[in-house]
Amino acid sequence: MRKTITGTGGMLLIQTLKDAGVDYLFTNPGSAETGIFAALSEDQDQKLIVGKHEGLVAAMADGYHRISGKVGVVIAHVMGGSYQLAGQLFNAQVAGSSLLVIAGDWASELQDYRGPAPFPGLTQAESMRPITKDARAAYQVAANPAAITIATTRALREATTPPTGPVYLSISAELLLREGLEAQIGEAAGYQIERPGPARAATIEAIARRLGEAKCPVLMFGDDVWREGAQPEAVRLAETREAPAFSSRQIFANCPTRHPLYCGMYPASKEFERITGLKPDLIFLVGCQGVHGNIVEPFVIQIGPNPLLMGRHYPLDIAAQCELPETLRGITAALTRLHADKAATWPRQRGKVREFAKLLISREEDLVREHEHEAIVHPAVLEAHLAQVLPKNTLMVQESSTARTTLLPFAKDAMHWTRSGGGSLGFGVGASIGAKIAAGRERPVMLHLGDGALTYSAAGFWTMARYNTAVLTVISNNETYQVVRTNWAKEVPDSKMVHTGKYPGLFLDAPATDYAALARSQGVEGETVKTLKDLEPALKRGVDKTTRENRPYVIDVKVQREGIGADSTWYQDWKM
């Protein structure tokens, strides 16, 4: 497996990435990386995906990684360019996405300040460290050319080893150009370290015993359930125990969203307790990187390959770092063996859990019926149309906190779904491009985002057009930062701002932005939907354009605003 390679520092880097199976490089090119791009022009085996902003590029690599499972590799620029990555690298950090960011470095002992290089006294790597895996995985190759291949190999391993996340590597621009270098690459381990195995038999039995003894165990399936392909085992466990499944902040649909035991967002509401007559007394966190908010159950069990955020702000009663599919199979088998006398009674005792889950769906369907004849599209009506029109194997990238998804059948073997993770806007367009590259031509990819999110990344339509990534983009355009308005109203319900409906800085119209025209200006066809009667034909055209004609398409849908202050169009109307 070992082989000796020669050439410039840039050639050594490219050959190492190629040996590791890296097919795509996502970039916004810069001058300090001349050695890398000169090497690419000689090799040309890897495909270059260019974006016109570093944030876009990082989101592309993240979307590609999430769907392909491979490391997303970014070729960034020196400090000034690397800092542009911040918002999307933060999203990747929170999501645990395996990215490798490589940038040239103009560090010099003679001249400690040069243009977009770090401020004197700082190194490029340490400046990026807070937004990498564990806030520590940033490295510098400054003088020794042998370190180029070694550091790259180490970075690839580190990005994929739990806790996974982005790794940053800066390499001297001079070394990347230096000729006549030699290095050895190649390893049978494939630049990865084998992950943890199943939990010990004693731990599996302890978990099964407590799950069986609990009056109302609550299950939460996190993103490592999706990553490890453990959704069938997770669902089987829920069905065996007749236990309600909830979600916290997540980047995948880890529990099938139309499953009759899926009960929505954690924690269990008072309404859940009232309808089911059950009060959760145990929570089992499976493959979760922690919980958004507090844990309220008195007994906490957590398992998964990533221990980073286990028990950070809540106690753990049983915890194990382990793989998930085999461990879950073992727990389900032990559950039926240890509690054979009780197992037959569980469906009867918890029949109302399914009743509550059904209620969540029926409420959303009632909301659709309530608004289905209104001229302006209501978000629930848009959701219902998407559920009907989109191909059942669609992969949806979402960047809207207010878009409704209850009626969409997300699951491992059906419609896929992913979102940013960290909440830093600008994720959607880039991530959908990367996801489409990973999914290939045959699988439909749809981007659903708000108008506020789109303004962070609309330059990505150019990349869609250049590489013909046939993404169907649907914009829920309510001309406001609705989620911010809703949160403000919750925080200060008695304020003058809420009483008068004057929310500073949140109304995004006046002037209006023609997003379909913005897409067309970059080579992507699009249209605007202003009334409900135009919605279904437009969606069908969009699906046809992206699937049959294999071209990207944009639909700007004017949607109703919801919640308190929805009718507010106020803004500070001053001009210079």
Side-chain angles (χ1 to χ4, degrees), residues 102-392:
I102 301 168
D105 194 330
W106 275 332
S108 168
E109 294 176 353
L110 299 177
Q111 180 184 355
D112 67 353
Y113 188 77
R114 178 183 175 185
F119 194 80
L122 291 174
T123 69
Q124 198 164 300
E126 87 179 308
S127 299
M128 295 299 294
R129 187 166 288 122
I131 46 176
T132 61
K133 164 180 167 172
D134 274 359
R136 62 164 183 79
Y139 306 104
Q140 178 183 26
V141 176
N144 188 345
I148 293 175
T149 55
I150 292 172
T152 304
T153 298
R154 182 173 60 217
L156 288 164
R157 286 200 205 102
E158 191 157 4
T160 55
T161 303
T164 56
V167 178
Y168 183 87
L169 176 61
S170 73
I171 303 174
S172 162
E174 186 275 325
L175 283 185
L176 290 170
L177 287 167
R178 190 183 297 179
E179 298 181 347
L181 303 180
E182 182 177 290
Q184 194 175 66
I185 59 171
E187 59 175 40
Y191 300 87
Q192 294 191 24
I193 295 172
E194 187 174 337
R195 292 183 169 217
R200 292 179 303 136
T203 303
I204 287 173
E205 186 150 323
I207 293 171
R209 194 175 299 281
R210 292 307 300 242
L211 281 174
E213 292 170 352
K215 299 294 185 185
C216 180
V218 164
L219 307 181
M220 186 186 294
F221 302 132
D223 294 320
D224 283 320
V225 169
W226 183 279
R227 289 188 178 104
E228 296 200 355
Q231 195 175 78
E233 290 80 6
V235 169
R236 179 66 181 145
L237 174 63
E239 291 173 345
T240 299
R241 189 60 182 89
E242 279 294 309
F246 291 85
S247 298
S248 186
R249 273 184 90 107
Q250 58 190 45
I251 66 165
F252 297 116
N254 305 305
C255 180
T257 56
R258 297 298 298 264
H259 192 278
L261 289 171
Y262 179 65
C263 294
M265 296 300 291
Y266 181 85
S269 63
K270 294 295 181 185
E271 185 182 37
F272 171 86
E273 295 181 14
R274 178 175 58 79
I275 290 174
T276 65
L278 299 168
K279 185 174 179 61
D281 57 348
L282 178 151
I283 184 167
F284 184 25
L285 302 161
V286 181
C288 300
Q289 293 195 61
V291 177
H292 188 64
N294 296 321
I295 292 285
V296 296
E297 287 73 21
F299 199 89
V300 184
I301 305 172
Q302 188 162 6
I303 66 170
N306 186 348
L308 178 64
L309 296 178
M310 286 188 183
R312 297 282 287 192
H313 64 283
Y314 49 87
L316 291 172
D317 297 295
I318 303 175
Q321 182 183 13
C322 60
E323 66 81 64
L324 294 175
E326 192 172 337
T327 299
L328 289 172
R329 285 194 291 269
I331 292 170
T332 302
L335 192 62
T336 53
R337 175 172 50 81
L338 293 170
H339 303 282
D341 55 331
K342 299 179 183 177
T345 67
W346 289 336
R348 186 175 66 254
Q349 290 173 350
R350 295 178 185 78
K352 290 195 174 181
V353 170
R354 292 175 180 254
E355 186 179 313
F356 176 80
K358 197 173 182 179
L359 177 64
L360 299 181
I361 302 295
S362 63
R363 276 183 181 163
E364 197 72 8
E365 292 170 338
D366 289 344
L367 190 63
V368 174
R369 284 188 284 271
E370 179 185 342
H371 295 282
E372 65 184 353
H373 299 298
E374 295 171 355
I376 305 301
V377 178
H378 187 275
V381 176
L382 173 58
E383 166 195 19
H385 277 74
L386 291 174
Q388 292 170 0
V389 173
L390 292 177
K392 300 308 178 187

